[in-house]
Amino acid sequence: MKLTDLLKEIEDEQGGEQKDIRAQYDLAIQPSSIKDALKALDNIDNYGIYAQNMRKPDVIKKVFGPSIPAQKAGAAWKDWDERSDNEKDAKIADIKNRVPEEWSNTVEKNTPKFENWKAEGNEGDFEEWLKSLNGKSLPLEFYGRYGKNYFPMKTPDNLKKYAGKMEKDIHYFVKNNVVVFPQENSPFNPKAYLKKVLKTIMDNANLEYRFIDIEKEGGEDNIPVTKSQPTSPTTPPLTTTVNTADQADNLIKIFKNRLGEVPSAKYEVEPTGVGADRKYKTVVTGISADQRAKLQPLAFDFKQNLREQNEIERHQMLVRAGIIK
């Protein structure tokens, strides 16, 4: 059971006496060397995809989009297609945090499409469905008219925010041999997103560390309550459901041609349903997030081509039957 779930149980059992207790803890890291950790946090190069050099015009354009509004939607599609899975996670988190009402609208209006995707045998949550789409197929509610949701406004505050580098005694402080990151001051929200950023920084600096949850300033003794070693993200299987075994085999050949020789990759075909409902699901495991991101558009295009072929065959059949001309 997660700590947050346990705390929720305590709140329910005690009739609300523990109200808002989940909000009383900040994320912290306990590094092997405080000095090295502070040095890593001060080096913009360690921030990877979460850092931007705002002195470069091309970087400003990438973060805030083109200056001409009519060009922003196309720029958003292109940017999305060029992102890895982790970079798409970062963009989704940015939109959820920056325009939460638009994110809620995206989920509400596109849940039927997500459910259809799940019904086709795909696995994952709403965000996985979004990441499976190419740029032009993204819901308008997600990127917004003229890309207004996808790209933040270019303001002095946002120029600082999207540069990414956190500042000591503003975004974090040192106490009792740990580095604490108060969530209310963080440029990276929610806390799960902040944890991804910190993992990138510490890993790029080749530091040994562990994450802990620590009581907020003002709490009694600031006692750490949860400790865990950082773990590498697990890439979920890439699944695609098609109508025939031949189609499944052809799709796997396309995947293999795209990735080349990947010793850890495993390609399987699983039959689902019986009789007239029989379908075939391709399952690809043992690949990295970036490799999965390369295959997702291929799976989407393959299924789109199948749908178009089915429509052509259906039309030809109706013509032959004399139903339409």
Side-chain angles (χ1 to χ4, degrees):
M1 178 180 289
K2 295 181 180 179
L3 172 66
T4 52
D5 295 331
L6 178 59
L7 294 172
K8 183 65 171 65
E9 275 192 7
I10 293 172
E11 178 181 336
D12 292 340
E13 290 174 1
Q14 296 184 358
E17 291 179 8
Q18 301 293 328
K19 184 178 181 181
D20 294 331
I21 192 168
R22 285 170 293 173
Q24 295 178 3
Y25 297 92
D26 284 321
L27 187 64
I29 55 172
Q30 191 170 52
S32 55
S33 165
I34 289 288
K35 181 180 178 181
D36 289 344
L38 295 180
K39 185 177 179 180
L41 287 164
D42 195 47
N43 185 352
I44 195 70
D45 293 337
N46 291 328
Y47 285 67
I49 63 173
Y50 303 104
Q52 311 285 346
N53 185 347
M54 290 303 174
R55 295 177 182 175
K56 295 183 177 181
D58 58 329
V59 174
I60 292 177
K61 184 177 179 180
K62 179 176 177 60
V63 174
F64 299 107
S67 57
I68 301 173
Q71 296 177 353
K72 288 194 173 185
W77 300 340
K78 184 175 184 293
D79 178 79
W80 182 260
D81 288 337
E82 292 174 349
R83 286 174 175 261
S84 67
D85 259 21
N86 286 339
E87 289 170 327
K88 288 178 180 177
D89 284 335
K91 174 52 70 175
I92 290 171
D94 172 50
I95 291 173
K96 288 170 69 174
N97 182 57
R98 181 164 40 82
V99 283
E101 66 287 349
E102 298 295 342
W103 171 254
S104 297
N105 190 37
T106 299
V107 175
E108 179 181 352
K109 291 194 174 181
N110 292 278
T111 293
K113 294 179 182 178
F114 163 62
E115 291 175 346
N116 288 338
W117 178 76
K118 292 275 287 183
E120 291 175 350
N122 297 296
E123 297 178 0
D125 56 15
F126 186 86
E127 294 180 20
E128 286 296 323
W129 168 69
L130 271 183
K131 291 191 292 182
S132 74
L133 303 176
N134 61 32
K136 286 187 177 181
S137 301
L138 287 171
L140 174 62
E141 296 81 14
F142 177 67
Y143 61 86
R145 185 172 176 80
Y146 298 124
K148 71 179 181 66
N149 298 339
Y150 196 90
F151 295 112
M153 292 183 63
K154 184 183 173 185
T155 64
D157 285 344
N158 277 343
L159 282 167
K160 291 180 181 179
K161 174 182 177 180
Y162 287 93
K165 189 167 80 73
M166 291 180 280
E167 302 293 337
K168 188 174 181 293
D169 297 326
I170 297 176
H171 303 119
Y172 60 88
F173 62 89
V174 177
K175 184 171 184 178
N176 298 333
N177 293 318
V178 298
V179 186
V180 184
F181 299 83
Q183 198 60 49
E184 62 268 21
N185 299 335
S186 178
F188 303 106
N189 282 295
K191 190 158 69 172
Y193 182 34
L194 172 62
K195 190 171 184 178
K196 284 186 177 182
V197 177
L198 294 177
K199 185 180 189 307
T200 297
I201 296 168
M202 296 297 116
D203 288 352
N204 284 341
N206 295 315
L207 296 184
E208 294 182 3
Y209 64 98
R210 64 179 175 181
F211 287 111
I212 62 175
D213 282 332
I214 195 167
E215 193 173 347
K216 280 180 177 286
E217 277 293 285
E220 187 175 351
D221 298 328
N222 298 95
I223 303 170
V225 296
T226 302
K227 299 183 179 182
S228 61
Q229 296 292 340
T231 56
S232 299
T234 300
T235 304
L238 176 65
T239 63
T240 310
T241 302
V242 293
N243 294 326
T244 69
D246 286 342
Q247 291 172 353
D249 290 338
N250 289 336
L251 180 56
I252 285 178
K253 288 177 183 177
I254 293 172
F255 287 162
K256 289 181 176 179
N257 287 337
R258 179 67 178 89
L259 293 184
E261 184 65 25
V262 180
S264 61
K266 187 176 181 181
Y267 304 88
E268 297 177 300
V269 177
E270 299 177 356
T272 63
V274 294
D277 295 326
R278 170 75 76 178
K279 292 185 181 297
Y280 295 84
K281 179 168 68 174
T282 63
V283 183
V284 185
T285 55
I287 57 176
S288 68
D290 285 342
Q291 290 167 337
R292 187 178 189 275
K294 291 177 181 178
L295 298 186
Q296 280 182 320
L298 298 181
F300 178 86
D301 289 343
F302 187 85
K303 295 200 68 172
Q304 184 67 25
N305 289 336
L306 289 179
R307 281 192 285 268
E308 290 174 359
Q309 290 173 11
N310 288 338
E311 284 299 316
I312 291 172
E313 291 173 1
R314 179 175 175 274
H315 181 268
Q316 290 174 342
M317 182 182 67
L318 293 174
V319 170
R320 287 194 296 267
I323 298 175
I324 62 173
K325 295 182 180 181

